[in-house]
Amino acid sequence: LSLDGHTMEFIKDQYRHCKPILVLPASATLFKAAGASAKLPSGEADPGVVQGGDVETFVAAMARHRHPERETDPPRV
């Protein structure tokens, strides 16, 4: 999937728009290849990036809709 431009742009767009992202173990390499990070610019963990299969945490992240603490100008990705 990392060779598919549409896939990579989708991941980047979700990241840039501060949307919650669930990074399952099998997709961690793809997430990294898109240039996304589970850390905020401050070095803290990004609450909108949920790693592993923690569905409850992901649902809570989805309830917030966006995670503006990730936003930078220009976008990091």
Side-chain angles (χ1 to χ4, degrees):
L1 287 172
S2 65
L3 299 177
D4 180 35
H6 294 290
T7 300
M8 299 308 285
E9 276 305 309
F10 179 80
I11 295 168
K12 290 176 185 181
D13 284 345
Q14 297 307 302
Y15 190 81
R16 286 179 193 135
H17 292 281
C18 303
K19 300 294 186 175
I21 301 172
L22 178 63
V23 182
L24 298 172
S27 63
T29 303
L30 187 62
F31 181 72
K32 247 185 193 178
S37 174
K39 299 271 184 200
L40 295 171
S42 66
E44 297 177 61
D46 186 330
V49 176
V50 180
Q51 297 184 0
D54 188 350
V55 176
E56 288 181 22
T57 301
F58 183 63
V59 169
M62 290 287 292
R64 283 188 54 196
H65 182 66
R66 291 186 77 241
H67 294 269
E69 56 272 281
R70 182 187 312 151
E71 202 162 33
T72 59
D73 186 20
R76 294 189 310 162
V77 174

